[in-house]
């Protein structure tokens, strides 16, 4: 397949990336109002460092100091404790987690980056629907409570753009996607726009840690292939790792992680809080 080389890569020190997070303590009460999903390059400084330290002392304490399979296993034990939503409830949750910070009546669409009215959720042309970033068919989990309704990989997207992505694996290269500038696709893969490449990677890797085949769902794993079909696999791992490194968590992604934790599922995507753990495991 074709490849596209990007002119610049944003190098990020693991410590800085880990510090750039907006989190609450593991025992935080649900927020009274929805935290607005922001945009930008994230938040750094003493406050962010203190919040991450508090989270490490509570939520992540059993994962600290581990690497490789031991880290993956520890994180799975932590994040598998979650509240499961119905597929219908996902509609309203996405209106909170993906709210446009510039317009509270709208959500931000993942691939296209457009702002669209919250009321335009549905299945018609011009609507936004619920994109499963880990494709439902890769493990055949459909819309079942669990992987089929997990907010950590469900995002609003234009109906037609969602259809173009379909169940393709992720990789570099292809032709421009109509209605979603900056995205590329070919017969067997999809490349999201630069601003959300890391988001996509961290969502896929979250799913690989959360769903290990011990709760009636398939064991989801990343691999370094495309054309994975209905197997519980998603590629390409080498590309996803590069994307996570090139596009570190920004304030939109961090606040989204907080909203899911505080208001809905009460679990976190550890790779948003600790992006350096991607390399530690894979």
């Amino acid at each position: 397949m074709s490849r596209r080389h990007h002119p610049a890569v944003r190098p990020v020190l693991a410590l800085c990336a880990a510090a750039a997070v907006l989190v609450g303590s593991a025992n935080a009460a649900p927020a009274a109002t929805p935290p607005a999903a922001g945009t930008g390059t994230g938040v750094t400084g003493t406050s962010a460092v203190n919040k991450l330290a508090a989270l490490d002392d509570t939520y992540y304490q059993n994962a600290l100091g581990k690497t490789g399979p031991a880290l993956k296993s520890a994180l799975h034990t932590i994040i598998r404790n979650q509240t499961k939503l119905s597929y219908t409830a996902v509609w309203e949750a996405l209106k909170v987690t993906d709210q446009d910070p510039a317009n509270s009546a709208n959500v931000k669409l993942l691939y296209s980056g457009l702002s669209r009215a919250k009321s335009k959720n549905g299945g018609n042309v011009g609507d936004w629907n619920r994109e499963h970033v880990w494709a439902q068919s890769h493990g055949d989990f459909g819309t079942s409570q669990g992987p089929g309704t997990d907010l950590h990989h469900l995002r609003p997207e234009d109906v037609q753009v969602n259809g173009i992505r379909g169940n393709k694996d992720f990789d570099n290269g292809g032709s421009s996607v109509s209605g979603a500038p900056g995205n590329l696709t070919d017969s067997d893969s999809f490349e999201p726009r630069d601003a959300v490449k890391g988001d996509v990677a961290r969502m896929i890797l979250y799913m690989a840690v959360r769903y290990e085949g011990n709760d009636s769902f398939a064991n989801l794993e990343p691999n370094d292939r495309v054309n994975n079909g209905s197997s519980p696999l998603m590629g390409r791992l080498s590309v996803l790792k590069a994307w996570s490194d090139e596009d570190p968590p920004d304030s939109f992604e961090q606040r989204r992680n907080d909203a899911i934790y505080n208001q809905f599922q009460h679990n976190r995507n550890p790779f948003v809080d600790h992006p350096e753990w991607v390399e530690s495991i894979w």
Side-chain angles (χ1 to χ4, degrees):
M1 73 186 301
S2 60
R3 293 288 179 271
R4 181 166 69 109
H5 298 286
H6 300 291
V9 171
R10 289 181 289 170
V12 178
L13 293 174
L15 180 59
C16 294
V21 64
L22 291 172
V23 295
S25 72
N27 299 317
T33 57
T39 57
T41 57
V43 178
T44 60
T46 302
S47 177
V49 171
N50 290 342
K51 288 176 181 179
L52 183 58
L55 200 60
D56 284 348
D57 286 342
T58 52
Y59 191 71
Y60 290 125
Q61 61 179 325
N62 292 331
L64 299 182
K66 295 181 172 66
T67 60
L71 175 58
K72 187 182 183 207
S73 177
L75 290 176
H76 169 72
T77 300
I78 293 167
I79 67 177
R80 69 176 297 184
N81 296 312
Q82 70 184 88
T83 299
K84 296 182 177 68
L85 279 65
S86 70
Y87 198 46
T88 299
V90 167
W91 284 123
E92 296 306 311
L94 291 178
K95 294 175 184 179
V96 175
T97 60
D98 291 76
Q99 179 175 297
D100 182 351
N103 185 344
S104 62
N106 288 9
V107 292
K108 292 284 285 186
L109 306 186
L110 175 64
Y111 302 129
S112 66
L114 297 175
S115 179
R116 187 160 296 173
K118 292 177 179 178
S119 61
K120 291 285 290 180
N121 62 298
N124 298 320
V125 174
D127 288 343
W128 62 269
N129 60 5
R130 296 158 291 188
E131 153 72 338
H132 290 78
V133 178
W134 186 293
Q136 302 172 49
S137 62
H138 290 231
D140 194 29
F141 52 75
T143 59
S144 57
Q145 285 186 295
T149 65
D150 197 314
L151 293 173
H152 282 297
H153 85 117
L154 281 160
R155 299 291 291 268
E157 187 48 65
D158 174 79
V159 168
Q160 291 178 289
V161 174
N162 195 352
I164 292 171
R165 187 269 156 137
N167 69 346
K168 295 174 183 175
D169 292 272
F170 293 101
D171 199 0
N172 292 316
S175 302
S176 297
V177 174
S178 176
N183 297 263
L184 301 174
T185 192
D186 57 20
S187 63
D188 58 18
S189 71
F190 191 91
E191 177 183 352
R193 59 192 175 98
D194 289 349
V196 296
K197 279 183 165 66
D199 305 52
V200 166
R202 287 180 285 274
M203 285 186 278
I204 293 298
L205 299 178
Y206 160 86
M207 293 291 282
V209 171
R210 168 59 187 88
Y211 298 99
E212 292 280 44
N214 54 9
D215 51 5
S216 79
F217 298 111
N219 179 15
L220 305 183
E221 291 294 339
N223 68 355
D224 213 33
R225 295 180 49 199
V226 293
N227 280 323
N228 280 303
S230 62
S231 299
L233 304 168
M234 185 69 71
R236 298 182 58 163
L237 177 58
S238 59
V239 172
L240 294 169
K241 288 174 61 179
W243 288 354
S244 183
D245 196 36
E246 294 165 14
D247 174 37
D250 65 10
S251 58
F252 189 103
E253 193 178 359
Q254 292 158 353
R255 292 171 186 173
R256 188 177 197 279
N257 199 24
D258 289 342
I260 294 171
Y261 176 59
N262 289 323
Q263 297 180 252
F264 298 106
Q265 293 184 182
H266 311 298
N267 72 338
R268 302 186 68 83
N269 182 335
F271 303 114
V272 176
D273 297 324
H274 281 282
E276 75 278 7
W277 281 346
V278 171
E279 187 63 37
S280 293
I281 293 175
W282 289 283

